[in-house]
Amino acid sequence: MARSWATLGVDLHLEPTGPGLRRGLTDALREAVRTGRLGPGTRLPSSRVLAADLGIARNTVADAYADLVAEGWLTARQGSGTRVAERVAAPPSRTSARRPAGHARPTYDLRPGTPDLASFPRTAWLRAARRAVTSAPHDALGYGDGRGRPELRAALAGYLARARGVRADPETLLVCGGFAHGLVLLAGVLRARGVHTVAVESYGLHVHRDLLTRAGLRTVPLPVDDRGADTGALTDAGAVLLTPAHQFPTGVPLHPDRRAAVVAWAHRTGGLILEDDYDGEFRYDRQSVGALQGLDPDRVVYLGTASKSLAPGLRLGWMALPPSLVGDVLDDPTSRTPGVLDQLTLAQFLDSGDYDRHVRSARLRYRRRRDALVAALAERAPAVRVSGIAAGLHAVLPLPSGTERQVARAAAWHGLAVHSLSMFRHPDASLPPLDALVVGYGTPPDHAWAGALDALCRALP
Ligand SMILES: Cc1ncc(COP(=O)(O)O)c(C=O)c1O
């Protein structure tokens, strides 16, 4: 059986004997240097000490150190022991750039999913919170309505109708703890109604697929192409989960024909459409793509979230439910709404116009970042044809076939945390895999964006 240690702050998973032991140690140490867990100049324990620590032969440690010295990751000098090299060997990509010394751990987070948390509108939120606490009636602090505070449902109904084309009625809106919570509640309802299968986009977030699976539902992939999910391929699923405004992660809007096709499918089969409108506010070049829910509020559940527009840590989301589902969702004992003070704060934030102001200024900032990304790629990596950039907080950078892993490794070398497109692929997807990076441009604070772009361009072929 393989053994594991956490030593030097490095997790070592080692085979008990044979070449696997030396390889395991070498790989773990190399990875620790590469990812910055062992920073430049760090002195490693002597081979005798580390061997005793790990309960393995001293020669094995000495051989692993020698391998890494030969590869340029470590240096060994008489009198100063074995250390992590100050300037380590060439990055594992075709680029000849060297990783700047001092980049000890991922410096820039370009994974999609999180907005710029540094620009959370603290002052305006505080103002709204003060108003919320001051004006909340005593009974607001009780258990209250399972759908959430009426003030927030009313404010959301107005906003969603105006900004997203949702046919929203405060009576059938339900406040939840973000999209994921809403999805769990809906999965429970679907399962209780005898649904076994939910169609999902062949590229999507695996955490959402996992939530459905955990609720006892099978997920089947719908092919995704440049017109979004192929809703014409829907067959006997009881529901379909879609990101119509901005397919996640490929970034295309669902084509109008496919919108019509999915609504027709829902009518024909009684199936339910779950619309994940996670970043609908952020469309840059044209009018935003309205919600699918507007086409048929009886067959579409609209799910929205504050995770992109404000911050995921708020855990605030909402669902516009077909009236026939409200009772079933509320029957679920886990359908507890987020804290009332946060709900009332968001209601104030919406009513005062601060939400619109914040979204408008965030949209402008993200758009500038996107434009800088496009310009930098055009100049420094012209072979990369960036896509999925009309909206949202991430872009897709297609790569030559077979190079995705190599480029992702090079990106890590340059201090970037990024995701490759294959991470999002449904395991049963039938279309050939596409090689690409999914680059989130929301997360780095403004002052770090130029550096992040520079590192990204160095990592690309
Ligand atoms: C595709 C998609 N849906 C929904 C969400 C939001 O999820 P939640 O509201 O649970 O934070 C995200 C956030 O990253 C997302 O990428």
PDB file of all heavy atoms in Angstrom, residues 112-114 177-181 205 208 243 248 276-278 304-308 312 315-317, ligand 1:
ATOM      1  N   PRO A 112     -11.953  30.892 -13.544  1.00  0.00           N
ATOM      2  CA  PRO A 112     -13.249  31.570 -13.659  1.00  0.00           C
ATOM      3  C   PRO A 112     -14.059  31.316 -12.396  1.00  0.00           C
ATOM      4  O   PRO A 112     -13.810  30.350 -11.688  1.00  0.00           O
ATOM      5  CB  PRO A 112     -13.893  30.872 -14.856  1.00  0.00           C
ATOM      6  CG  PRO A 112     -13.265  29.522 -14.899  1.00  0.00           C
ATOM      7  CD  PRO A 112     -11.875  29.668 -14.347  1.00  0.00           C
ATOM      8  N   GLY A 113     -14.979  32.178 -12.101  1.00  0.00           N
ATOM      9  CA  GLY A 113     -15.896  31.866 -11.000  1.00  0.00           C
ATOM     10  C   GLY A 113     -16.055  32.977  -9.985  1.00  0.00           C
ATOM     11  O   GLY A 113     -17.117  33.129  -9.410  1.00  0.00           O
ATOM     12  N   THR A 114     -15.003  33.755  -9.757  1.00  0.00           N
ATOM     13  CA  THR A 114     -15.098  34.748  -8.689  1.00  0.00           C
ATOM     14  C   THR A 114     -14.953  36.154  -9.276  1.00  0.00           C
ATOM     15  O   THR A 114     -14.088  36.378 -10.110  1.00  0.00           O
ATOM     16  CB  THR A 114     -13.976  34.517  -7.652  1.00  0.00           C
ATOM     17  OG1 THR A 114     -13.994  33.139  -7.302  1.00  0.00           O
ATOM     18  CG2 THR A 114     -14.181  35.339  -6.404  1.00  0.00           C
ATOM     19  N   GLY A 177     -29.850  30.360  -0.849  1.00  0.00           N
ATOM     20  CA  GLY A 177     -28.441  30.599  -0.539  1.00  0.00           C
ATOM     21  C   GLY A 177     -27.556  30.421  -1.766  1.00  0.00           C
ATOM     22  O   GLY A 177     -26.674  29.562  -1.773  1.00  0.00           O
ATOM     23  N   GLY A 178     -27.803  31.174  -2.804  1.00  0.00           N
ATOM     24  CA  GLY A 178     -27.014  31.057  -4.035  1.00  0.00           C
ATOM     25  C   GLY A 178     -27.618  30.035  -4.979  1.00  0.00           C
ATOM     26  O   GLY A 178     -28.564  29.313  -4.635  1.00  0.00           O
ATOM     27  N   PHE A 179     -27.049  29.992  -6.187  1.00  0.00           N
ATOM     28  CA  PHE A 179     -27.544  29.073  -7.207  1.00  0.00           C
ATOM     29  C   PHE A 179     -27.488  27.626  -6.727  1.00  0.00           C
ATOM     30  O   PHE A 179     -28.432  26.848  -6.918  1.00  0.00           O
ATOM     31  CB  PHE A 179     -26.710  29.235  -8.498  1.00  0.00           C
ATOM     32  CG  PHE A 179     -26.988  28.168  -9.504  1.00  0.00           C
ATOM     33  CD1 PHE A 179     -28.040  28.302 -10.388  1.00  0.00           C
ATOM     34  CD2 PHE A 179     -26.219  27.014  -9.547  1.00  0.00           C
ATOM     35  CE1 PHE A 179     -28.332  27.296 -11.300  1.00  0.00           C
ATOM     36  CE2 PHE A 179     -26.501  26.009 -10.460  1.00  0.00           C
ATOM     37  CZ  PHE A 179     -27.560  26.152 -11.341  1.00  0.00           C
ATOM     38  N   ALA A 180     -26.371  27.250  -6.106  1.00  0.00           N
ATOM     39  CA  ALA A 180     -26.172  25.842  -5.732  1.00  0.00           C
ATOM     40  C   ALA A 180     -27.278  25.376  -4.786  1.00  0.00           C
ATOM     41  O   ALA A 180     -27.792  24.255  -4.918  1.00  0.00           O
ATOM     42  CB  ALA A 180     -24.799  25.666  -5.087  1.00  0.00           C
ATOM     43  N   HIS A 181     -27.656  26.229  -3.840  1.00  0.00           N
ATOM     44  CA  HIS A 181     -28.729  25.870  -2.912  1.00  0.00           C
ATOM     45  C   HIS A 181     -30.041  25.691  -3.670  1.00  0.00           C
ATOM     46  O   HIS A 181     -30.777  24.718  -3.461  1.00  0.00           O
ATOM     47  CB  HIS A 181     -28.859  26.951  -1.833  1.00  0.00           C
ATOM     48  CG  HIS A 181     -29.932  26.677  -0.821  1.00  0.00           C
ATOM     49  ND1 HIS A 181     -30.644  27.681  -0.239  1.00  0.00           N
ATOM     50  CD2 HIS A 181     -30.429  25.524  -0.305  1.00  0.00           C
ATOM     51  CE1 HIS A 181     -31.532  27.158   0.604  1.00  0.00           C
ATOM     52  NE2 HIS A 181     -31.412  25.854   0.589  1.00  0.00           N
ATOM     53  N   LEU A 205     -20.177  23.137 -15.007  1.00  0.00           N
ATOM     54  CA  LEU A 205     -19.491  23.000 -13.722  1.00  0.00           C
ATOM     55  C   LEU A 205     -19.764  21.624 -13.129  1.00  0.00           C
ATOM     56  O   LEU A 205     -20.922  21.256 -12.926  1.00  0.00           O
ATOM     57  CB  LEU A 205     -19.994  24.059 -12.750  1.00  0.00           C
ATOM     58  CG  LEU A 205     -19.334  25.430 -12.781  1.00  0.00           C
ATOM     59  CD1 LEU A 205     -19.926  26.315 -11.698  1.00  0.00           C
ATOM     60  CD2 LEU A 205     -17.829  25.321 -12.618  1.00  0.00           C
ATOM     61  N   HIS A 208     -22.013  21.317 -10.029  1.00  0.00           N
ATOM     62  CA  HIS A 208     -23.467  21.317 -10.219  1.00  0.00           C
ATOM     63  C   HIS A 208     -23.949  19.932 -10.667  1.00  0.00           C
ATOM     64  O   HIS A 208     -24.987  19.457 -10.218  1.00  0.00           O
ATOM     65  CB  HIS A 208     -23.877  22.411 -11.209  1.00  0.00           C
ATOM     66  CG  HIS A 208     -23.579  23.788 -10.684  1.00  0.00           C
ATOM     67  ND1 HIS A 208     -23.498  24.899 -11.480  1.00  0.00           N
ATOM     68  CD2 HIS A 208     -23.330  24.223  -9.412  1.00  0.00           C
ATOM     69  CE1 HIS A 208     -23.226  25.955 -10.731  1.00  0.00           C
ATOM     70  NE2 HIS A 208     -23.111  25.573  -9.491  1.00  0.00           N
ATOM     71  N   THR A 243     -27.408  27.252 -19.347  1.00  0.00           N
ATOM     72  CA  THR A 243     -26.910  28.610 -19.093  1.00  0.00           C
ATOM     73  C   THR A 243     -27.162  29.422 -20.378  1.00  0.00           C
ATOM     74  O   THR A 243     -26.234  29.694 -21.144  1.00  0.00           O
ATOM     75  CB  THR A 243     -25.400  28.584 -18.747  1.00  0.00           C
ATOM     76  OG1 THR A 243     -24.701  27.751 -19.702  1.00  0.00           O
ATOM     77  CG2 THR A 243     -25.148  28.029 -17.373  1.00  0.00           C
ATOM     78  N   PHE A 248     -21.803  28.370 -19.908  1.00  0.00           N
ATOM     79  CA  PHE A 248     -20.613  28.211 -19.090  1.00  0.00           C
ATOM     80  C   PHE A 248     -19.996  26.860 -19.368  1.00  0.00           C
ATOM     81  O   PHE A 248     -20.640  25.845 -19.207  1.00  0.00           O
ATOM     82  CB  PHE A 248     -20.915  28.312 -17.591  1.00  0.00           C
ATOM     83  CG  PHE A 248     -19.643  28.299 -16.797  1.00  0.00           C
ATOM     84  CD1 PHE A 248     -18.973  29.481 -16.535  1.00  0.00           C
ATOM     85  CD2 PHE A 248     -19.074  27.105 -16.376  1.00  0.00           C
ATOM     86  CE1 PHE A 248     -17.761  29.466 -15.854  1.00  0.00           C
ATOM     87  CE2 PHE A 248     -17.867  27.091 -15.697  1.00  0.00           C
ATOM     88  CZ  PHE A 248     -17.214  28.273 -15.433  1.00  0.00           C
ATOM     89  N   ASP A 276     -29.906  28.784 -15.505  1.00  0.00           N
ATOM     90  CA  ASP A 276     -28.849  29.319 -14.640  1.00  0.00           C
ATOM     91  C   ASP A 276     -28.373  30.640 -15.248  1.00  0.00           C
ATOM     92  O   ASP A 276     -27.624  30.656 -16.219  1.00  0.00           O
ATOM     93  CB  ASP A 276     -27.704  28.284 -14.569  1.00  0.00           C
ATOM     94  CG  ASP A 276     -26.492  28.797 -13.792  1.00  0.00           C
ATOM     95  OD1 ASP A 276     -26.564  29.913 -13.256  1.00  0.00           O
ATOM     96  OD2 ASP A 276     -25.481  28.065 -13.727  1.00  0.00           O
ATOM     97  N   ASP A 277     -28.813  31.755 -14.645  1.00  0.00           N
ATOM     98  CA  ASP A 277     -28.466  33.080 -15.180  1.00  0.00           C
ATOM     99  C   ASP A 277     -27.387  33.686 -14.291  1.00  0.00           C
ATOM    100  O   ASP A 277     -27.591  34.712 -13.658  1.00  0.00           O
ATOM    101  CB  ASP A 277     -29.714  33.971 -15.208  1.00  0.00           C
ATOM    102  CG  ASP A 277     -29.516  35.215 -16.060  1.00  0.00           C
ATOM    103  OD1 ASP A 277     -28.819  35.151 -17.081  1.00  0.00           O
ATOM    104  OD2 ASP A 277     -30.065  36.268 -15.686  1.00  0.00           O
ATOM    105  N   TYR A 278     -26.227  33.042 -14.267  1.00  0.00           N
ATOM    106  CA  TYR A 278     -25.211  33.368 -13.260  1.00  0.00           C
ATOM    107  C   TYR A 278     -24.502  34.693 -13.504  1.00  0.00           C
ATOM    108  O   TYR A 278     -24.014  35.313 -12.570  1.00  0.00           O
ATOM    109  CB  TYR A 278     -24.179  32.235 -13.174  1.00  0.00           C
ATOM    110  CG  TYR A 278     -23.413  32.053 -14.476  1.00  0.00           C
ATOM    111  CD1 TYR A 278     -22.112  32.494 -14.603  1.00  0.00           C
ATOM    112  CD2 TYR A 278     -24.020  31.464 -15.576  1.00  0.00           C
ATOM    113  CE1 TYR A 278     -21.422  32.344 -15.788  1.00  0.00           C
ATOM    114  CE2 TYR A 278     -23.333  31.323 -16.774  1.00  0.00           C
ATOM    115  CZ  TYR A 278     -22.039  31.765 -16.873  1.00  0.00           C
ATOM    116  OH  TYR A 278     -21.365  31.638 -18.050  1.00  0.00           O
ATOM    117  N   GLY A 304     -31.104  33.022 -10.253  1.00  0.00           N
ATOM    118  CA  GLY A 304     -30.125  34.102 -10.294  1.00  0.00           C
ATOM    119  C   GLY A 304     -29.301  34.090  -9.016  1.00  0.00           C
ATOM    120  O   GLY A 304     -29.649  33.405  -8.037  1.00  0.00           O
ATOM    121  N   THR A 305     -28.224  34.839  -9.018  1.00  0.00           N
ATOM    122  CA  THR A 305     -27.314  34.819  -7.871  1.00  0.00           C
ATOM    123  C   THR A 305     -26.594  36.156  -7.732  1.00  0.00           C
ATOM    124  O   THR A 305     -26.393  36.857  -8.733  1.00  0.00           O
ATOM    125  CB  THR A 305     -26.264  33.694  -8.055  1.00  0.00           C
ATOM    126  OG1 THR A 305     -25.331  33.719  -6.985  1.00  0.00           O
ATOM    127  CG2 THR A 305     -25.493  33.821  -9.362  1.00  0.00           C
ATOM    128  N   ALA A 306     -26.194  36.464  -6.500  1.00  0.00           N
ATOM    129  CA  ALA A 306     -25.357  37.654  -6.285  1.00  0.00           C
ATOM    130  C   ALA A 306     -23.875  37.289  -6.333  1.00  0.00           C
ATOM    131  O   ALA A 306     -23.020  38.133  -6.092  1.00  0.00           O
ATOM    132  CB  ALA A 306     -25.689  38.273  -4.931  1.00  0.00           C
ATOM    133  N   SER A 307     -23.565  36.034  -6.657  1.00  0.00           N
ATOM    134  CA  SER A 307     -22.177  35.577  -6.566  1.00  0.00           C
ATOM    135  C   SER A 307     -21.248  36.268  -7.550  1.00  0.00           C
ATOM    136  O   SER A 307     -20.065  36.407  -7.284  1.00  0.00           O
ATOM    137  CB  SER A 307     -22.098  34.061  -6.768  1.00  0.00           C
ATOM    138  OG  SER A 307     -22.628  33.410  -5.651  1.00  0.00           O
ATOM    139  N   LYS A 308     -21.758  36.667  -8.728  1.00  0.00           N
ATOM    140  CA  LYS A 308     -20.900  37.363  -9.696  1.00  0.00           C
ATOM    141  C   LYS A 308     -21.077  38.865  -9.594  1.00  0.00           C
ATOM    142  O   LYS A 308     -20.136  39.622  -9.719  1.00  0.00           O
ATOM    143  CB  LYS A 308     -21.255  36.942 -11.130  1.00  0.00           C
ATOM    144  CG  LYS A 308     -21.119  35.484 -11.393  1.00  0.00           C
ATOM    145  CD  LYS A 308     -19.698  35.107 -11.702  1.00  0.00           C
ATOM    146  CE  LYS A 308     -19.694  33.649 -12.095  1.00  0.00           C
ATOM    147  NZ  LYS A 308     -18.421  33.165 -12.507  1.00  0.00           N
ATOM    148  N   PRO A 312     -19.592  35.985  -3.931  1.00  0.00           N
ATOM    149  CA  PRO A 312     -20.143  34.652  -3.640  1.00  0.00           C
ATOM    150  C   PRO A 312     -20.287  34.383  -2.147  1.00  0.00           C
ATOM    151  O   PRO A 312     -21.131  33.597  -1.730  1.00  0.00           O
ATOM    152  CB  PRO A 312     -19.132  33.685  -4.278  1.00  0.00           C
ATOM    153  CG  PRO A 312     -17.914  34.475  -4.564  1.00  0.00           C
ATOM    154  CD  PRO A 312     -18.310  35.917  -4.651  1.00  0.00           C
ATOM    155  N   ARG A 315     -23.688  34.408  -0.274  1.00  0.00           N
ATOM    156  CA  ARG A 315     -24.631  33.283  -0.403  1.00  0.00           C
ATOM    157  C   ARG A 315     -26.070  33.799  -0.537  1.00  0.00           C
ATOM    158  O   ARG A 315     -26.957  33.455   0.256  1.00  0.00           O
ATOM    159  CB  ARG A 315     -24.533  32.275   0.765  1.00  0.00           C
ATOM    160  CG  ARG A 315     -23.200  31.642   1.007  1.00  0.00           C
ATOM    161  CD  ARG A 315     -22.456  31.211  -0.239  1.00  0.00           C
ATOM    162  NE  ARG A 315     -23.138  30.229  -1.069  1.00  0.00           N
ATOM    163  CZ  ARG A 315     -23.031  30.217  -2.413  1.00  0.00           C
ATOM    164  NH1 ARG A 315     -22.317  31.124  -3.072  1.00  0.00           N
ATOM    165  NH2 ARG A 315     -23.663  29.300  -3.107  1.00  0.00           N
ATOM    166  N   LEU A 316     -26.265  34.626  -1.518  1.00  0.00           N
ATOM    167  CA  LEU A 316     -27.610  35.127  -1.797  1.00  0.00           C
ATOM    168  C   LEU A 316     -27.973  34.794  -3.244  1.00  0.00           C
ATOM    169  O   LEU A 316     -27.220  35.124  -4.165  1.00  0.00           O
ATOM    170  CB  LEU A 316     -27.672  36.643  -1.596  1.00  0.00           C
ATOM    171  CG  LEU A 316     -27.818  37.139  -0.159  1.00  0.00           C
ATOM    172  CD1 LEU A 316     -27.525  38.636  -0.072  1.00  0.00           C
ATOM    173  CD2 LEU A 316     -29.210  36.847   0.387  1.00  0.00           C
ATOM    174  N   GLY A 317     -29.078  34.116  -3.412  1.00  0.00           N
ATOM    175  CA  GLY A 317     -29.570  33.799  -4.742  1.00  0.00           C
ATOM    176  C   GLY A 317     -31.087  33.826  -4.734  1.00  0.00           C
ATOM    177  O   GLY A 317     -31.707  34.081  -3.685  1.00  0.00           O
TER     178      GLY A 317
HETATM  179  C1  LIG B   1     -22.099  28.395 -14.228  1.00  0.00           C
HETATM  180  C2  LIG B   1     -22.305  28.984 -12.864  1.00  0.00           C
HETATM  181  N1  LIG B   1     -23.517  28.941 -12.309  1.00  0.00           N
HETATM  182  C3  LIG B   1     -23.759  29.470 -11.098  1.00  0.00           C
HETATM  183  C4  LIG B   1     -22.758  30.066 -10.378  1.00  0.00           C
HETATM  184  C5  LIG B   1     -23.054  30.691  -9.046  1.00  0.00           C
HETATM  185  O1  LIG B   1     -23.188  29.762  -8.069  1.00  0.00           O
HETATM  186  P1  LIG B   1     -23.559  30.201  -6.576  1.00  0.00           P
HETATM  187  O2  LIG B   1     -24.673  31.166  -6.648  1.00  0.00           O
HETATM  188  O3  LIG B   1     -23.922  28.907  -5.917  1.00  0.00           O
HETATM  189  O4  LIG B   1     -22.334  30.824  -5.975  1.00  0.00           O
HETATM  190  C6  LIG B   1     -21.477  30.115 -10.895  1.00  0.00           C
HETATM  191  C7  LIG B   1     -20.393  30.720 -10.118  1.00  0.00           C
HETATM  192  O5  LIG B   1     -19.248  30.547 -10.354  1.00  0.00           O
HETATM  193  C8  LIG B   1     -21.252  29.563 -12.180  1.00  0.00           C
HETATM  194  O6  LIG B   1     -20.038  29.608 -12.731  1.00  0.00           O
END
